[in-house]
Every structure is written in C-alpha cells, then in structure tokens.
Coordinates of all heavy atoms in Angstrom, one line a residue:
S182 N 13.4 -2.1 1.7 CA 14.0 -0.9 2.4 C 15.3 -1.3 3.0 O 15.4 -2.3 3.8 CB 13.1 -0.4 3.4 OG 13.7 0.6 4.3
N183 N 16.4 -0.5 2.8 CA 17.6 -0.7 3.5 C 17.8 0.4 4.5 O 18.9 0.5 5.1 CB 18.8 -0.6 2.5 CG 18.9 -1.8 1.5 OD1 18.7 -2.9 2.0 ND2 19.1 -1.5 0.2
G184 N 16.7 1.1 4.8 CA 16.8 2.2 5.8 C 16.7 1.6 7.2 O 16.6 0.4 7.4
S185 N 16.7 2.6 8.1 CA 16.5 2.2 9.6 C 15.1 1.7 9.8 O 14.1 2.4 9.4 CB 16.8 3.4 10.5 OG 16.5 3.0 11.8
K186 N 15.0 0.4 10.3 CA 13.6 -0.2 10.5 C 13.5 -0.6 11.9 O 14.3 -1.3 12.5 CB 13.5 -1.4 9.5 CG 13.6 -1.1 8.1 CD 13.5 -2.3 7.2 CE 14.8 -3.1 7.2 NZ 15.9 -2.4 6.7
W187 N 12.3 -0.2 12.5 CA 12.0 -0.5 13.8 C 10.9 -1.6 13.8 O 10.0 -1.5 12.9 CB 11.5 0.7 14.6 CG 12.5 1.8 14.8 CD1 13.6 2.0 14.1 CD2 12.3 2.8 15.8 NE1 14.2 3.2 14.6 CE2 13.5 3.7 15.6 CE3 11.4 3.2 16.7 CZ2 13.7 4.8 16.4 CZ3 11.6 4.3 17.5 CH2 12.7 5.1 17.3
F188 N 10.9 -2.5 14.7 CA 9.8 -3.5 14.8 C 9.0 -3.2 16.1 O 9.6 -3.2 17.2 CB 10.3 -4.9 14.8 CG 9.2 -5.9 14.8 CD1 8.2 -5.9 13.8 CD2 9.1 -6.9 15.7 CE1 7.1 -6.8 13.8 CE2 8.1 -7.9 15.7 CZ 7.1 -7.8 14.7
Q189 N 7.7 -2.9 16.0 CA 6.9 -2.7 17.1 C 6.2 -3.9 17.5 O 5.6 -4.6 16.6 CB 5.9 -1.5 16.8 CG 4.8 -1.3 17.9 CD 3.6 -2.1 17.7 OE1 3.2 -2.6 16.6 NE2 2.9 -2.4 18.8
V190 N 6.2 -4.3 18.8 CA 5.5 -5.5 19.2 C 4.5 -5.2 20.3 O 4.8 -4.3 21.2 CB 6.5 -6.6 19.8 CG1 7.4 -7.1 18.7 CG2 7.4 -6.0 20.9
Y191 N 3.4 -5.9 20.2 CA 2.5 -6.0 21.4 C 2.9 -7.3 22.1 O 3.5 -8.2 21.5 CB 1.0 -6.1 20.9 CG 0.5 -4.9 20.3 CD1 0.3 -4.8 18.9 CD2 0.0 -3.8 21.0 CE1 -0.2 -3.6 18.3 CE2 -0.5 -2.7 20.5 CZ -0.6 -2.6 19.1 OH -1.2 -1.5 18.5
V192 N 2.5 -7.3 23.4 CA 2.9 -8.5 24.2 C 1.8 -9.5 24.1 O 0.7 -9.3 24.7 CB 3.2 -8.1 25.6 CG1 3.6 -9.4 26.4 CG2 4.4 -7.1 25.7
W193 N 2.0 -10.6 23.4 CA 1.0 -11.6 23.2 C 1.0 -12.6 24.3 O 2.0 -12.8 25.0 CB 1.3 -12.4 21.9 CG 1.2 -11.5 20.6 CD1 1.9 -10.5 20.3 CD2 0.2 -11.7 19.6 NE1 1.5 -9.9 19.1 CE2 0.4 -10.7 18.7 CE3 -0.8 -12.6 19.4 CZ2 -0.3 -10.5 17.5 CZ3 -1.6 -12.5 18.3 CH2 -1.4 -11.4 17.3
R194 N -0.1 -13.2 24.5 CA -0.2 -14.3 25.5 C 0.7 -15.5 25.1 O 1.4 -16.1 26.0 CB -1.6 -14.8 25.6 CG -2.6 -13.8 26.1 CD -4.0 -14.4 26.1 NE -5.1 -13.4 26.4 CZ -5.6 -13.2 27.6 NH1 -5.2 -13.9 28.6 NH2 -6.6 -12.3 27.7
D195 N 0.8 -15.7 23.8 CA 1.6 -16.8 23.3 C 3.1 -16.3 23.2 O 3.5 -15.7 22.2 CB 1.1 -17.2 21.9 CG 1.9 -18.4 21.3 OD1 3.0 -18.7 21.8 OD2 1.4 -19.0 20.4
K196 N 3.9 -16.6 24.2 CA 5.2 -16.1 24.3 C 6.1 -16.7 23.2 O 7.1 -16.1 22.8 CB 5.8 -16.3 25.7 CG 5.1 -15.4 26.8 CD 5.1 -14.0 26.4 CE 4.6 -13.1 27.6 NZ 3.1 -13.3 27.7
G197 N 5.8 -17.9 22.8 CA 6.6 -18.6 21.7 C 6.4 -17.8 20.4 O 7.4 -17.6 19.7
L198 N 5.2 -17.4 20.1 CA 4.9 -16.6 18.9 C 5.6 -15.2 19.0 O 6.2 -14.7 18.1 CB 3.4 -16.4 18.8 CG 2.9 -15.4 17.7 CD1 3.4 -15.8 16.3 CD2 1.4 -15.2 17.7
L199 N 5.6 -14.6 20.2 CA 6.2 -13.3 20.4 C 7.7 -13.4 20.2 O 8.3 -12.6 19.5 CB 5.9 -12.8 21.8 CG 6.5 -11.5 22.2 CD1 6.1 -10.4 21.3 CD2 6.2 -11.2 23.7
K200 N 8.3 -14.4 20.8 CA 9.8 -14.6 20.6 C 10.1 -14.9 19.1 O 11.1 -14.3 18.6 CB 10.2 -15.8 21.4 CG 11.7 -16.1 21.3 CD 12.1 -17.3 22.2 CE 13.6 -17.6 22.1 NZ 14.0 -18.7 22.9
D201 N 9.3 -15.7 18.4 CA 9.6 -15.9 17.0 C 9.5 -14.6 16.2 O 10.4 -14.4 15.3 CB 8.5 -16.9 16.5 CG 8.7 -17.2 15.0 OD1 9.7 -17.8 14.6 OD2 7.8 -16.8 14.2
M202 N 8.5 -13.8 16.5 CA 8.5 -12.5 15.7 C 9.7 -11.6 16.0 O 10.2 -11.0 15.0 CB 7.2 -11.8 16.1 CG 5.9 -12.4 15.5 SD 4.5 -11.3 15.7 CE 4.2 -11.4 17.4
I203 N 10.1 -11.6 17.2 CA 11.2 -10.7 17.6 C 12.5 -11.2 16.9 O 13.3 -10.4 16.3 CB 11.4 -10.7 19.1 CG1 10.3 -9.9 19.7 CG2 12.8 -10.0 19.5 CD1 10.3 -9.9 21.3
L204 N 12.7 -12.5 16.9 CA 13.9 -13.1 16.3 C 13.8 -12.9 14.7 O 14.9 -12.7 14.1 CB 14.1 -14.6 16.6 CG 14.3 -14.8 18.1 CD1 14.5 -16.3 18.4 CD2 15.6 -14.1 18.6
R205 N 12.7 -13.1 14.2 CA 12.5 -12.9 12.7 C 12.9 -11.4 12.3 O 13.5 -11.2 11.3 CB 11.1 -13.2 12.3 CG 10.8 -14.7 12.1 CD 9.3 -14.9 11.8 NE 8.8 -14.1 10.7 CZ 7.6 -13.8 10.5 NH1 6.6 -14.1 11.3 NH2 7.2 -13.1 9.4
A206 N 12.4 -10.5 13.1 CA 12.7 -9.1 12.9 C 14.2 -8.8 12.9 O 14.8 -8.1 12.1 CB 12.0 -8.2 13.9
A207 N 14.9 -9.4 13.9 CA 16.3 -9.3 14.0 C 17.0 -9.9 12.8 O 17.9 -9.3 12.2 CB 16.8 -9.9 15.3
D208 N 16.6 -11.1 12.4 CA 17.2 -11.7 11.2 C 16.9 -10.9 9.9 O 17.8 -11.0 9.0 CB 16.6 -13.1 11.0 CG 17.1 -14.1 12.1 OD1 18.1 -13.8 12.8 OD2 16.4 -15.2 12.3
A209 N 15.8 -10.2 9.9 CA 15.5 -9.4 8.7 C 16.2 -8.1 8.6 O 16.0 -7.3 7.7 CB 14.0 -9.2 8.6
G210 N 17.0 -7.7 9.7 CA 17.8 -6.5 9.7 C 17.1 -5.3 10.3 O 17.6 -4.2 10.2
F211 N 16.1 -5.6 11.1 CA 15.5 -4.5 11.9 C 16.4 -4.1 13.0 O 17.1 -5.0 13.6 CB 14.1 -4.9 12.4 CG 13.0 -4.8 11.4 CD1 13.0 -5.7 10.3 CD2 12.0 -3.9 11.5 CE1 12.0 -5.6 9.3 CE2 11.0 -3.9 10.5 CZ 11.0 -4.7 9.4
D212 N 16.6 -2.8 13.3 CA 17.6 -2.4 14.2 C 17.1 -1.9 15.5 O 17.9 -1.7 16.4 CB 18.5 -1.4 13.6 CG 17.8 -0.3 12.8 OD1 16.6 0.0 13.1 OD2 18.4 0.3 11.9
V213 N 15.8 -1.7 15.7 CA 15.3 -1.2 17.0 C 14.0 -1.9 17.3 O 13.2 -2.2 16.4 CB 14.9 0.4 16.9 CG1 14.3 0.9 18.2 CG2 16.2 1.2 16.6
L214 N 13.9 -2.3 18.6 CA 12.6 -2.9 19.1 C 11.8 -1.9 19.9 O 12.4 -1.3 20.8 CB 13.0 -4.1 20.0 CG 11.8 -5.0 20.4 CD1 11.2 -5.8 19.2 CD2 12.3 -6.0 21.5
C215 N 10.6 -1.8 19.5 CA 9.7 -0.8 20.1 C 8.5 -1.6 20.7 O 7.7 -2.1 20.0 CB 9.2 0.2 19.1 SG 8.2 1.5 19.8
I216 N 8.4 -1.6 22.1 CA 7.4 -2.4 22.8 C 6.2 -1.5 23.2 O 6.4 -0.6 24.0 CB 8.0 -3.1 24.0 CG1 9.3 -3.8 23.6 CG2 7.0 -4.0 24.7 CD1 10.1 -4.3 24.9
T217 N 5.0 -1.8 22.6 CA 3.8 -1.0 23.0 C 3.2 -1.6 24.2 O 2.9 -2.8 24.3 CB 2.8 -1.0 21.8 OG1 3.4 -0.3 20.7 CG2 1.5 -0.3 22.2

C-alpha cells in the first residue's frame, strides 16, 4: 500500500520494544501515530 497508513500502538511495559515499533513504522512510511 502506498496510501495513507496509520500505526496504532498500545503502551507496552517494554519501552525499548515500543520505541522500536514506532521507529519501524516511521521507516516504513506510516504517516500518523495513533495511541490507544
């Protein structure tokens, strides 16, 4: 998909894992972060 892509995150206890997922989403071209 080259369309608009949002990445929804839950807040994990493991902040290193959470940071890694957020940065991966940015690198993959996701344009919006949605925090549940």
Side-chain angles (χ1 to χ4, degrees):
S182 171
N183 291 316
S185 176
K186 296 177 289 295
W187 298 17
F188 186 53
Q189 175 270 334
V190 290
Y191 291 103
V192 181
W193 294 66
R194 295 176 190 264
D195 184 343
K196 295 303 186 289
L198 171 60
L199 178 58
K200 180 178 179 179
D201 177 68
M202 285 192 290
I203 291 173
L204 296 180
R205 280 175 54 201
D208 288 343
F211 283 65
D212 44 27
V213 176
L214 187 68
C215 184
I216 307 167
T217 293

